[in-house]
């Protein structure tokens, strides 16, 4: 009579952390043990509003955070880059797409409100953001440095360079090539953000906006690239 060898595998290892009353189960030789999948990080998204009206040259809309009605002159909104005004009540920062001025793609536009993000958690927030992933898949990540990400100090409302935010390392031990930064101001921002604080008021929380990129922005970016390629 042959001997059937057995080995034991803990149920916890097979079920990725789920602990059962049955602490051990038996599996035949060569049985494949399912690997635990890495935990997916859920990233909060910016609050938005599409309830936007144009009344005699004024954009009228409720703040997505506090619901207070805000008004912004249409002439202050850049036709491509939009604008980033402040809520008249709660002090949050908005992004208003330029299409609200030109009437382009008006049905698909949103006004975004800034989302509080701790500076030390920004790396994880940015790297796992679904909009950033979608832009990478669409081959549009090159546009982000021009349009799509804005970061402000929650306290003093200093606006940080997108290039600094995009290249902010996960921790202070990582090496940063400061030569890739374009100005002394960007170097100052990077040094301070690596320490987890605003360079001007030492506050430790950002108001971050990451938005979808309208087609007219993509077209404008492509046209600009083609100009550089011309003789």
């Amino acid at each position: 009579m042959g001997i059937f060898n057995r080995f034991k595998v803990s149920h916890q290892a097979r079920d990725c952390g789920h602990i059962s009353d049955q602490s051990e189960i038996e599996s035949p030789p060569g049985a494949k043990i399912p690997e635990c999948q890495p935990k997916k990080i859920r990233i909060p998204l910016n609050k938005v509003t599409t309830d936007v009206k144009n009344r005699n040259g004024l954009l009228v809309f409720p703040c997505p955070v506090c619901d207070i009605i805000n008004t912004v002159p249409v002439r202050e909104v850049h036709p491509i880059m939009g604008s980033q005004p402040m809520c008249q009540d709660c002090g949050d920062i908005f992004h208003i797409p330029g299409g609200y001025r030109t009437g382009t793609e008006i049905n698909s536009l949103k006004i975004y409100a800034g989302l509080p993000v701790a500076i030390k958690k920004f790396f994880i927030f940015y790297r796992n953001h679904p909009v950033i992933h979608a832009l990478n898949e669409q081959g549009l990540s090159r546009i982000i440095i021009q349009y799509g990400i804005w970061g402000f100090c929650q306290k003093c409302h200093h606006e940080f360079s997108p290039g600094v935010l995009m290249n902010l390392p996960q921790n202070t031990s990582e090496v940063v090539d400061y030569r890739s930064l374009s100005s002394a101001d960007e170097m100052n921002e990077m040094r301070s953000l690596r320490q987890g604080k605003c360079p001007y008021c030492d506050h430790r929380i950002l108001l971050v906006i990451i938005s979808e990129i309208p087609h007219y922005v993509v077209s404008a970016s492509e046209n600009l690239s083609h100009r550089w390629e011309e003789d």
Side-chain angles (χ1 to χ4, degrees), residues 7-138:
F7 66 94
K8 296 182 178 181
V9 180
S10 70
H11 190 69
Q12 181 176 357
R14 290 173 58 95
D15 201 26
C16 300
H18 176 70
I19 300 176
S20 171
D21 291 335
Q22 181 184 0
S23 60
E24 294 183 336
I25 60 175
E26 296 180 348
S27 300
K32 186 176 181 180
I33 302 173
E35 295 182 358
C36 294
Q37 296 296 323
K39 186 176 181 180
K40 190 173 182 180
I41 300 175
R42 295 186 62 183
I43 300 298
L45 302 180
N46 295 91
K47 292 184 177 181
V48 301
T49 183
T50 56
D51 183 14
V52 185
K53 298 177 176 61
N54 189 331
R55 295 177 179 170
N56 300 320
L58 287 176
L59 293 178
V60 182
F61 59 93
C63 171
V65 175
C66 69
D67 291 328
I68 295 297
I69 297 298
N70 281 255
T71 58
V72 174
V74 173
R75 66 178 182 276
E76 295 182 3
V77 179
H78 189 277
I80 302 296
M81 304 306 294
S83 67
Q84 287 70 242
M86 185 187 304
C87 177
Q88 300 165 5
D89 187 73
C90 70
D92 205 333
I93 305 291
F94 307 127
H95 169 63
I96 303 178
Y100 281 115
R101 174 173 176 171
T102 63
T104 307
E105 302 175 34
I106 199 76
N107 293 329
S108 62
L109 297 180
K110 310 167 188 174
I111 290 181
Y112 294 77
L115 180 72
V117 178
I119 293 173
K120 288 190 174 181
K121 294 183 178 179
F122 178 81
F123 177 90
I124 296 175
F125 174 80
Y126 176 77
R127 298 292 176 178
N128 292 277
H129 200 287
V131 172
I132 300 300
H133 287 177
L135 293 174
N136 286 333
E137 291 174 358
Q138 298 167 26

Side-chain angles (χ1 to χ4, degrees), residues 105 143 213-226:
E105 302 175 34
I143 300 177
I213 299 181
H215 294 298
Y216 60 81
V217 175
V218 177
S219 298
S221 175
E222 291 175 349
N223 291 336
L224 182 60
S225 298
H226 292 160

